[in-house]
């Protein structure tokens, strides 16, 4: 009699984050300085948003790619990865250096990464979650083994520093992660969503194909972020909690199973409301908003960079983001390494 063959089922290949690095420009714009520029106060900004200061990229000719390249160079160096090993680079940004070529193309060139696929993803503040979702598919199918995902934005390029309702909120920065295949850890689930009916509440009126730039659009200050804060706030509170809840539900996670919430940093009150709904202790919630403000696609990788030394192999993370579009999304992943 022949013995029945025992089939050993392999765990699926997942895309694991195996390194993270960030970059914020050295120039700090504090609430006190903003209070000299517009009718606001440190007290109002701190109470309504949790922001104390933000970084601003200064220097002629420096765009989003400068910060993205700084983050990627740091990532390659700390993970001991040669530029030639990278097989794909995706950059999430809403403030590309140019309409074309893509900022991802520029970052590759600046980092000595040649002849690979690279492209930008635009989903406003949800951009990093969108880019991570796309990149993870290439790892899961086995097509690529080393992918860099960058989230980078120079929001100061599209912020009206005479508009107190928006100029206090945003800052500049970049973060990058390395994704590699793993059968033990990595991205288990992702969720990306959008609703284009949200456009009137958060957008930039001119500069695209619907309203190309003219002297008039510049005079009318139409190249800046237009935001109806209260409408966005309402949407954001609902969607952040919803996305985190949905990921927990479909992965059978209770709050005791979640080690960290990595939320998009738009407003401290939105983050706290999300954590409360998830029944998480505030200590499990990554917060960088006080020092960087809202850096759009960079907030989540900057959080991971900031908290990297506290993350342990096997930690379970929920990422959650929302932004202009409207867009929203999240990811559930297990962390792949211990602090060095
Ligand atoms: N300083 C002082 N007063 C201010 C300021 C300021 N910087 N900004 C607005 N105000 C005033 C308003 O003029 C208003 O005064 P009024 O009552 O006399 O008209 C009052 O404060 C209240 O304004 P609201 O907009 O209702 O204030 P709110 O409590 O909603 O807070 C905020 C405003 C912080 C913008 C909040 O609505 C918010 O965080 N919204 C969400 C923003 C967000 O998450 N954006 C994310 C997406 S970004 C992206 O995708 C690119």
């Amino acid at each position: 009699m022949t013995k029945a063959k025992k089939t050993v089922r392999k765990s699926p290949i997942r895309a694991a984050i195996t390194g993270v690095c960030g970059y914020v420009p050295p120039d700090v714009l504090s609430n006190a300085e903003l209070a000299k520029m517009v009718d606001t106060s440190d007290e109002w900004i701190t109470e309504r948003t949790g922001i104390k200061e933000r970084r601003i990229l200064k220097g002629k000719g420096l765009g989003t790619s400068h910060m993205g390249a700084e983050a990627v160079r740091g990532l390659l160096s700390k993970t001991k990865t040669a530029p030639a090993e990278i097989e794909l680079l995706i950059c999430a940004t809403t403030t590309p250096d140019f309409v074309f070529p893509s900022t991802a193309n520029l970052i590759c060139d600046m980092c000595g990464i040649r002849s690979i696929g690279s492209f930008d993803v635009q989903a406003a503040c949800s951009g990093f979650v969108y880019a991570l979702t796309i990149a993870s598919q290439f790892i899961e199918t086995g097509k690529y083994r080393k992918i860099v995902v960058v989230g980078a934005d120079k929001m100061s390029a599209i912020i009206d520093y005479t508009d107190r309702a928006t100029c206090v909120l945003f800052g500049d920065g970049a973060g990058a992660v390395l994704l590699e295949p793993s059968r033990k850890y990595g991205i288990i689930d992702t969720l990306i969503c959008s609703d284009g009916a949200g456009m009137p509440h958060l957008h930039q009126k001119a500069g695209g194909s619907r309203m190309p730039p003219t002297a008039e659009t510049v005079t009318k200050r139409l190249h800046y972020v237009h935001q109806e804060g209260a409408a966005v706030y309402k949407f954001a509170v609902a969607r952040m909690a919803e996305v985190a809840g949905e990921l927990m539900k479909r992965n059978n996670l209770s709050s005791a199973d979640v080690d960290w919430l990595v939320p998009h940093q738009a407003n401290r009150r939105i983050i706290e409301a999300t954590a409360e709904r998830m029944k998480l202790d505030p200590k499990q919630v990554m917060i960088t908003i006080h020092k960087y403000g809202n850096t759009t696609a960079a907030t989540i990788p900057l959080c991971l960079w900031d908290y990297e030394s506290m993350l342990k192999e096997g930690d379970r993370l929920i990422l959650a983001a929302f932004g202009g579009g409207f867009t929203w999304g999240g990811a559930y992943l297990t962390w792949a390494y211990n602090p060095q």
Side-chain angles (χ1 to χ4, degrees):
M1 214 169 75
T2 52
K3 258 192 188 169
K5 256 194 189 164
K6 202 174 162 194
T7 47
V8 182
R9 208 182 274 168
K10 275 190 184 174
S11 326
I13 297 174
R14 298 194 195 287
I17 294 177
T18 54
V20 58
C21 194
Y23 174 80
V24 287
D27 280 290
V28 174
L29 178 59
S30 68
N31 289 352
E33 279 166 280
L34 276 167
K36 291 183 206 154
M37 294 156 63
V38 290
D39 183 13
T40 191
S41 64
D42 174 45
E43 193 189 0
W44 192 96
I45 303 169
T46 306
E47 192 185 299
R48 298 293 179 108
T49 71
I51 302 168
K52 296 299 284 183
E53 58 186 44
R54 67 288 292 142
R55 300 299 180 94
I56 304 294
L57 179 63
K58 292 187 179 164
K60 208 163 177 258
L62 298 184
T64 295
S65 65
H66 170 76
M67 297 184 291
E70 288 281 353
V72 173
R73 278 191 213 102
L75 178 71
L76 296 181
S77 160
K78 75 189 268 198
T79 57
K80 298 183 177 57
T81 307
E85 291 178 76
I86 302 302
E87 296 167 298
L88 181 72
L89 185 142
I90 306 176
C91 179
T93 186
T94 301
T95 51
D97 287 33
F98 304 106
V99 173
F100 70 91
S102 75
T103 304
N105 291 176
L106 305 175
I107 292 172
C108 282
D109 184 51
M110 290 158 97
C111 297
I113 301 172
R114 310 269 169 233
S115 303
I116 62 158
S118 70
F119 58 90
D120 288 356
V121 167
Q122 205 281 80
C125 296
S126 312
F128 184 78
V129 167
Y130 268 62
L132 202 64
T133 301
I134 297 165
S136 66
Q137 314 300 307
F138 285 101
I139 298 275
E140 285 167 19
T141 58
K143 185 157 179 78
Y144 295 129
R145 298 184 60 80
K146 283 187 199 285
I147 302 178
V148 172
V149 178
V150 187
D153 270 300
K154 182 186 171 186
M155 293 304 288
S156 62
I158 56 165
I159 291 300
D160 182 352
Y161 286 94
T162 67
D163 174 16
R164 70 175 182 176
T166 51
C167 74
V168 302
L169 304 174
F170 296 93
D172 302 336
V177 298
L178 180 64
L179 289 184
E180 295 183 90
S182 166
R183 289 200 187 268
K184 206 167 171 195
Y185 301 118
I187 297 168
I188 294 165
D189 195 8
T190 57
L191 185 60
I192 52 173
C193 310
S194 70
D195 180 356
M199 186 279 281
H201 306 298
L202 183 53
H203 62 284
Q204 183 181 322
K205 292 188 187 300
S209 59
R210 197 181 280 196
M211 202 190 289
T214 62
E216 194 191 357
T217 61
V218 173
T219 309
K220 288 186 168 166
R221 311 182 79 79
L222 300 180
H223 294 268
Y224 296 119
V225 170
H226 166 85
Q227 176 170 264
E228 291 155 14
V232 178
Y233 186 90
K234 215 170 121 190
F235 158 83
V237 167
R239 292 293 182 265
M240 285 274 278
E242 210 173 279
V243 82
E246 175 65 20
L247 283 168
M248 286 171 71
K249 189 172 151 203
R250 67 192 204 187
N251 290 285
N252 299 317
L253 300 172
S254 71
S255 49
D257 299 317
V258 177
D259 296 296
W260 293 97
L261 170 65
V262 194
H264 170 53
Q265 312 277 309
N267 185 316
R268 195 174 181 124
R269 289 183 291 149
I270 298 173
I271 297 170
E272 285 168 356
T274 308
E276 218 167 278
R277 288 244 212 129
M278 293 170 73
K279 298 191 176 64
L280 292 185
D281 188 290
K283 285 196 198 106
Q284 295 172 273
V285 182
M286 297 191 188
I287 303 262
T288 57
I289 192 164
H290 52 294
K291 49 185 183 177
Y292 303 144
N294 182 350
T295 54
T296 304
T299 61
I300 288 181
L302 280 176
C303 277
L304 295 174
W305 179 51
D306 227 65
Y307 282 76
E308 188 188 18
S309 63
M310 294 169 75
L311 291 171
K312 295 185 301 298
E313 193 180 316
D315 275 0
R316 282 168 289 203
L317 279 60
I318 298 273
L319 279 46
F322 69 91
F326 293 134
T327 56
W328 63 103
Y332 164 47
L333 60 92
T334 50
W335 196 248
Y337 58 96
N338 284 316
Q340 301 302 310

